Amino acid sequence: GAVVSQHPSWVICKSGTSVKIECRSLDFQATTMFWYRQFPKQSLMLMATSNEGSKATYEQGVEKDKFLINHASLTLSTLTVTSAHPEDSSFYICSARLTRGGVSNQPQHFGDGTRLSIL
Amino acid sequence: LAKTTQPISMDSYEGQEVNITCSHNNIATNDYITWYQQFPSQGPRFIIQGYKTKVTNEVASLFIPADRKSSTLSLPRVSLSDTAVYYCLVGGYNTDKLIFGTGTRLQVFP
């Protein structure tokens, strides 16, 4: 089945540093990938839609300069949390879906998430 | 995007059948219904997807009435390892964006 891989799975860093998270679709191409964040005991919150070869679309309230998204190929999207602070600590999850010809009824497949802890 | 409503939590015992119902009154004609399972510190895992009537796979069944305003995920003979949060989502054929609701936290007891 479709596999989405995230790296790293866990990262701890000091306040003020930038952290890059990678999301790869391993056995399929995805023109669109999605980034979510999840706080403890809460549901997933969509942050942005990552579009291959174009700018990402951010949800309301999500700072685009804070969360930089790059979707340089059909199998890779990256999320960079810039100048991270403790309040950015969260569980970040990406998803992707096989798309053919711009349409798809295939389900989205999710990565296993990245636990980000900012000290 | 259709909003979904599910029970916040459910309890069951091993070996029982569990049915989780989701309401999606504003579902659009081209929306599919998809269920995911999530364990702590993991990404959601696809369980089943359907458009209408009944869909069955090796782990679950999905029942969708004719008006499609609700759906029921059926887990046969649950085990302790089925303790997780279950999310119901609706999304269109051409709409990739998925908005997660609260999900249902299922606790299975021995």
Side-chain angles (χ1 to χ4, degrees):
Chain A
V3 177
V4 175
S5 174
Q6 265 184 259
H7 179 79
S9 57
W10 184 53
V11 59
I12 300 176
C13 61
K14 294 181 179 180
S15 183
T17 59
S18 294
V19 179
K20 179 185 286 187
I21 303 169
E22 292 186 349
C23 179
R24 294 180 185 273
S25 55
L26 295 186
D27 53 357
F28 66 100
Q29 293 183 332
T31 56
T32 305
M33 294 183 178
F34 303 88
W35 288 95
Y36 299 81
R37 67 188 298 183
Q38 185 176 34
F39 292 108
K41 304 291 186 183
Q42 294 187 23
S43 185
L44 283 76
M45 183 190 77
L46 180 65
M47 297 175 66
T49 302
S50 172
N51 303 297
E52 188 267 336
S54 64
K55 291 183 179 180
T57 304
Y58 291 82
E59 295 299 304
Q60 189 174 10
V62 178
E63 300 176 59
K64 60 181 66 177
D65 295 330
K66 176 74 170 177
F67 300 100
L68 300 180
I69 291 173
N70 184 291
H71 193 153
S73 77
L74 288 172
T75 59
L76 173 64
S77 175
T78 60
L79 169 69
T80 301
V81 184
T82 62
S83 187
H85 293 285
E87 59 267 28
D88 298 321
S89 297
S90 189
F91 191 52
Y92 292 86
I93 308 169
C94 71
S95 72
R97 188 168 79 173
L98 173 64
T99 306
R100 290 194 185 94
V103 300
S104 175
N105 67 344
Q106 297 298 310
Q108 285 193 28
H109 293 275
F110 290 79
D112 269 339
T114 297
R115 175 74 58 193
L116 175 62
S117 296
I118 308 298
L119 304 178
Chain B
L1 294 169
K3 180 180 177 181
T4 60
T5 303
Q6 305 173 233
I8 295 295
S9 65
M10 294 182 69
D11 292 336
S12 183
Y13 291 93
E14 281 191 295
Q16 290 189 332
E17 178 184 76
V18 170
N19 296 307
I20 306 174
T21 296
C22 177
S23 296
H24 27 80
N25 292 317
N26 297 321
I27 189 168
T29 303
N30 63 349
D31 281 345
Y32 281 78
I33 300 158
T34 312
W35 285 79
Y36 289 88
Q37 175 193 57
Q38 186 183 29
F39 297 113
S41 297
Q42 293 186 23
R45 184 175 72 95
F46 171 79
I47 302 174
I48 197 165
Q49 178 179 271
Y51 183 79
K52 61 181 178 180
T53 63
K54 177 184 175 182
V55 180
T56 298
N57 63 22
E58 61 275 8
V59 298
S61 295
L62 178 59
F63 299 92
I64 305 169
D67 66 5
R68 305 200 326 122
K69 293 184 182 299
S70 67
S71 60
T72 299
L73 174 72
S74 181
L75 304 173
R77 299 179 297 282
V78 294
S79 64
L80 295 176
S81 61
D82 292 317
T83 294
V85 178
Y86 293 82
Y87 293 99
C88 158
L89 296 104
V90 294
Y93 195 74
N94 266 342
T95 304
D96 283 316
K97 204 155 88 166
L98 292 178
I99 303 300
F100 280 76
T102 59
T104 298
R105 190 171 298 273
L106 173 65
Q107 179 69 54
V108 179
F109 295 96

